[in-house]
Amino acid sequence: MTDPTTATADKPVATGGTAEASARTRSLSGDAWHDLRRRPLFLVAASLITFLLVMAAFPQLFTSVDPTLGDLSRARQDPSAQAWFGYDHLGRDVYARTVYGTRVSIVVGVLATTAVVLVGAVMGLIAGFAGGWVDSLLARVADVFFGVPFILGAIVVLSTFRASVGQSVIGISGLVIGTIGLLSWPIVMRIMRSAAIAARNQDYVKAARALGASPWRIIRRHMLPNTIAPVMVYATIALGAFIGAEATLSFLGVGLRDPVVSWGVMISEAQSYLRTSPHLLLFPGAFLVVTVLAFVLLGDAVRDAFDPKGRS
């Protein structure tokens, strides 16, 4: 007969062995996700971002007021039960504009980040894999763009091409997204290039080359999965920064403008009434700060999760 004491004692060993085997078989992304779920910082940031994404996708769930409807008789009225955030200088509901401004601000940040990642990652992967004169040429091109101050370059580009897009919401937003992407891709290119150079010298890449794999197959199957993690970490942090960049450009008068509704446009319109009606700046500014902070915190959590040395 089996000794019950022995059988009971053996169970934790089996369970522990299964857990250890499961941990050994997890990939880097799986291990990072397992670590992220235990981080309060990640959970708080992800909850805030999820709430903002829902607000951006379905603003009608949060307000039924038209954000473009103005009434000069209620211009710059303070917050009240009828208008939680008050009214702006044209008598438009600040709360409704803040809710609807979430969509444009986040869409601009997401599309700008996507453009930066696509251009920078492709350039960096090609440079790191090819090496030689291709690497040198692409690196010098990136250095040229990297040397242009972002604000100065954005003012020049937006001022030059602003008249060509007119007052179209899509045209204005597309120009701002393109400008951010044009001036920001070298950072991603450098990150991806460094990761690609390190991966190029690994044994699995050398073995794939020895077996006659094509360069496209080596890049797609072997190098890209092992180099994309640091780019994704940067993209998470940069998304918040690009939302802030859009607000900065709008505040300077070269970014988004009416009829676009965004937090940057609202902050730009509020600057003339800061002393008499601070609520015009307070609420869109608070949403902007919380959004940028949420993405930065999310990026920090993702970076720590993908860094094996930083895990406890």
Side-chain angles (χ1 to χ4, degrees), residues 104-151:
V104 174
S105 296
I106 290 182
V107 166
V108 168
V110 169
L111 293 182
T113 303
T114 302
V116 167
V117 168
L118 288 178
V119 175
V122 170
M123 298 275 283
L125 199 55
I126 293 174
F129 176 78
W133 68 270
V134 176
D135 182 19
S136 299
L137 176 63
L138 294 179
R140 298 295 79 77
V141 172
D143 288 342
V144 171
F145 282 89
F146 194 78
V148 178
F150 178 81
I151 296 297

Side-chain angles (χ1 to χ4, degrees), residues 50-97:
T50 301
F51 173 77
L52 291 168
L53 291 177
V54 172
M55 181 179 290
F58 308 103
Q60 63 274 12
L61 296 178
F62 299 87
T63 180
S64 58
V65 179
D66 184 353
T68 62
L69 180 62
D71 184 354
L72 292 177
S73 63
R74 60 190 186 191
R76 291 187 286 132
Q77 289 184 6
D78 293 335
S80 62
Q82 290 74 29
W84 294 349
F85 293 178
Y87 295 98
D88 68 2
H89 64 294
L90 296 178
R92 298 171 297 190
D93 192 309
V94 175
Y95 172 73
R97 291 180 63 78

Side-chain angles (χ1 to χ4, degrees), residues 257-281:
R257 298 179 187 174
D258 275 334
V260 182
V261 180
S262 77
W263 297 331
V265 172
M266 295 177 66
I267 293 173
S268 176
E269 294 173 345
Q271 60 181 315
S272 301
Y273 309 98
L274 183 58
R275 292 181 179 272
T276 57
S277 304
H279 65 276
L280 301 183
L281 174 66

